[in-house]
Amino acid sequence: MSRALFVSKNYLSKKFNVKQPNELYKQLLQNIHLFQADELKKISSDELIHYIIFFGTHPERRNQGEKAKKITLECLKQYKKKMTKNSYEINSQILLSLSNVLLYDEQMVQELVQQVDDDKETLSVKDMIKFQHCLYKLNIHNEKLSDYVLEKFLKQKEQVDYLEYIHDLHIRSNLYRMGQVDEKVILTLLKGFQTKLNSSQNFYYTSKSCFQYCQLMYNLYPEIIEKQFFELKPRDDNIFANQFNDLMKDYIISKQLVDRKKFYQSFEYYVNFHNLNILKAKEDAIMRSLTELEQNVQDLLNKQNYKNSRAHRILIYDVDYLVNDNIILTCNDPVHFVEDFNGKILTINPNHIMQSRHLSATNKYKVFDINYHDWTHLSEQQKIDKLKSLID
């Protein structure tokens, strides 16, 4: 939990006298009247920031989907009217909230980016990567910021750690596949990462870093998707082929660890800690429940007697539904789509584009999206017909 989320959670817990954060989140969502425009006008900018950080960054938002997105939106609309210059910590958390629930407002984002640009000399590479990642989730590629992060990377490459390389490379490699980043940029970063891998062994792996490592490998070397370890090799014409052997060892470790992870778990892995390899796995603090869309799809699949498996592991992904062993159904709730403050859909989350590309590359499965905005207007019979058209 970030310091900002901790502070906001404590503030709201005291205000509403609810200690347990998950319960607090649910109770606030039920009190819709608190978040009507007339009520929100009465509260200060500081209190609005607490609401925005809590609703937009607490893990319970994943279970609450559209409700969390709507209330975060109402708070952001009011905050926009009172927006002032804030510290990097606050600005980064507001942008994180926007990117977590996929809301975009040009004026607000530009002001946040400008404030960060003004303070960039005081920020670490890690801070800049996190900020850039938030923009990426909103499908914003800020070339000026991206070039600055790259420049800082190259100047401070001795100080850039293993996790920072992975975080940045998994973003840029997806943007490369989407045609938004030049291959020369990827090569420059890869060579720096290659040097780090060859000069020192990484001793610490997390579920997040391993997942992102696999993603960046699939972006760079799509030809290895679903290959056995003994079959791993790049295509001769792959521009990143020379870096492959140095990247492969950690890919094998990362993939094996992800394969062991269960849907509801996260882990930390320590190599040669007091001459032992230690794996610490723990259950996620927030158990994922079905969204309304997921529940509706599952009910109809069962009603039509389709063989289906929920959160089925394919490659590194726990897909929403695997049907009849060869059909992947992905349920895209409102939080999968970037929308403006007026509710206009702008694009879908680029992480979803990456996942779909990786799954389709297996050539074993047909991958279909079920989008909330299309699905919710259908009658039950129309939904059944839609499922039949995808599956049969």
Side-chain angles (χ1 to χ4, degrees):
M1 183 181 291
S2 71
R3 193 180 80 88
L5 176 56
F6 181 77
V7 169
S8 294
K9 180 215 36 143
N10 282 352
Y11 174 85
L12 295 172
S13 289
K14 289 177 182 176
K15 179 179 176 67
F16 294 99
N17 196 28
V18 181
K19 290 186 178 180
Q20 217 287 331
N22 298 356
E23 275 307 306
L24 173 64
Y25 202 103
K26 293 171 188 174
Q27 285 190 31
L28 287 175
L29 290 188
Q30 290 170 1
N31 290 312
I32 302 295
H33 69 279
L34 293 175
F35 305 100
Q36 303 297 327
D38 289 342
E39 292 297 318
L40 290 172
K41 286 177 185 175
K42 301 173 185 176
I43 66 177
S44 67
S45 294
D46 288 345
E47 189 162 329
L48 279 171
I49 289 171
H50 285 308
Y51 281 124
I52 290 165
I53 291 174
F54 185 64
F55 284 128
T57 68
H58 192 277
E60 180 61 28
R61 72 182 186 280
R62 298 190 184 102
N63 289 331
Q64 300 302 327
E66 186 186 19
K67 292 179 183 176
K69 186 168 188 172
K70 282 183 175 178
I71 287 185
T72 308
L73 171 60
E74 292 307 315
C75 295
L76 284 162
K77 283 180 177 178
Q78 289 302 316
Y79 176 70
K80 180 182 175 182
K81 298 173 184 177
K82 307 176 182 182
M83 194 170 174
T84 56
K85 184 172 177 62
N86 282 307
S87 66
Y88 167 77
E89 183 180 23
I90 296 299
N91 285 332
S92 64
Q93 291 298 308
I94 291 171
L95 184 63
L96 179 60
S97 296
L98 284 163
S99 68
N100 280 344
V101 296
L102 297 187
L103 288 167
Y104 175 76
D105 179 79
E106 185 173 5
Q107 178 191 336
M108 182 175 285
V109 170
Q110 284 183 352
E111 286 191 31
L112 291 171
V113 170
Q114 185 58 55
Q115 289 185 28
V116 166
D117 188 57
D118 293 342
D119 298 335
K120 66 187 177 193
E121 296 299 333
T122 66
L123 302 176
S124 67
V125 174
K126 193 170 189 175
D127 288 333
M128 298 297 286
I129 291 172
K130 286 180 178 178
F131 196 83
Q132 184 175 258
H133 191 204
C134 292
L135 294 177
Y136 158 78
K137 287 194 288 184
L138 293 171
N139 208 18
I140 301 169
H141 179 56
N142 186 298
E143 198 162 335
K144 181 181 176 184
L145 180 66
S146 181
D147 288 347
Y148 178 79
V149 174
L150 178 63
E151 180 187 340
K152 204 159 185 177
F153 243 107
L154 299 178
K155 285 182 178 177
Q156 302 178 12
K157 59 185 177 183
E158 298 302 322
Q159 288 77 43
V160 176
D161 69 25
Y162 177 88
L163 298 180
E164 287 161 1
Y165 263 113
I166 293 171
H167 198 167
D168 192 65
L169 273 167
H170 109 278
I171 295 171
R172 290 185 195 260
S173 60
N174 189 39
L175 293 173
Y176 163 71
R177 288 297 170 194
M178 294 168 67
Q180 297 181 29
V181 169
D182 190 272
E183 62 190 27
K184 292 177 183 176
V185 172
I186 305 298
L187 268 174
T188 299
L189 283 168
L190 272 180
K191 287 175 182 176
F193 188 40
Q194 188 179 18
T195 300
K196 179 163 285 290
L197 289 172
N198 288 332
S199 61
S200 61
Q201 181 183 345
N202 178 50
F203 295 99
Y204 177 63
Y205 299 82
T206 68
S207 44
K208 181 178 180 180
S209 71
C210 290
F211 185 75
Q212 291 181 347
Y213 198 103
C214 292
Q215 286 184 314
L216 77 86
M217 289 295 284
Y218 296 154
N219 290 337
L220 299 174
Y221 310 103
E223 59 269 31
I224 73 168
I225 289 177
E226 269 220 328
K227 287 284 194 295
Q228 299 296 319
F229 291 141
F230 64 86
E231 299 177 302
L232 294 178
K233 64 177 183 178
R235 287 165 54 107
D236 292 338
D237 61 351
N238 190 317
I239 191 170
F240 310 117
N242 289 339
Q243 285 71 45
F244 182 79
N245 287 338
D246 291 325
L247 296 173
M248 187 173 70
K249 177 186 173 184
D250 273 33
Y251 166 67
I252 292 173
I253 293 173
S254 297
K255 180 64 166 62
Q256 288 177 323
L257 288 169
V258 171
D259 286 345
R260 291 182 63 177
K261 185 183 96 70
K262 295 180 180 176
F263 175 57
Y264 52 86
Q265 286 182 330
S266 59
F267 64 76
E268 294 178 302
Y269 183 60
Y270 302 85
V271 179
N272 291 328
F273 183 75
H274 296 311
N275 297 318
L276 293 171
N277 294 346
I278 298 175
L279 177 65
K280 292 183 177 180
K282 62 179 181 180
E283 292 188 7
D284 293 336
I286 306 294
M287 291 297 290
R288 272 280 281 116
S289 58
L290 293 179
T291 65
E292 184 180 331
L293 174 61
E294 291 166 344
Q295 186 67 64
N296 188 221
V297 169
Q298 181 172 288
D299 290 343
L300 291 176
L301 288 171
N302 292 336
K303 186 175 181 178
Q304 297 302 305
N305 295 317
Y306 285 117
K307 177 185 175 185
N308 67 89
S309 175
R310 163 76 183 149
H312 189 91
R313 178 71 55 80
I314 297 175
L315 291 180
I316 57 173
Y317 300 105
D318 297 311
V319 301
D320 290 338
Y321 294 101
L322 178 65
V323 184
N324 292 349
D325 297 324
N326 70 333
I327 303 287
I328 294 172
L329 297 181
T330 301
C331 298
N332 297 321
D333 281 283
V335 289
H336 287 76
F337 297 92
V338 181
E339 299 176 82
D340 67 17
F341 281 15
N342 296 316
K344 180 183 176 183
I345 296 174
L346 304 175
T347 185
I348 196 164
N349 184 344
N351 284 331
H352 172 77
I353 296 170
M354 174 164 53
Q355 175 177 318
S356 296
R357 186 176 66 246
H358 294 164
L359 292 171
S360 297
T362 64
N363 294 319
K364 289 184 178 180
Y365 306 97
K366 293 180 179 178
V367 184
F368 296 111
D369 289 338
I370 296 178
N371 296 330
Y372 176 89
H373 302 92
D374 301 324
W375 183 263
T376 191
H377 300 299
L378 301 178
S379 66
E380 181 169 314
Q381 187 56 51
Q382 287 173 321
K383 292 175 182 176
I384 291 170
D385 292 342
K386 175 71 173 175
L387 287 175
K388 286 181 176 180
S389 72
L390 299 177
I391 298 167
D392 299 333

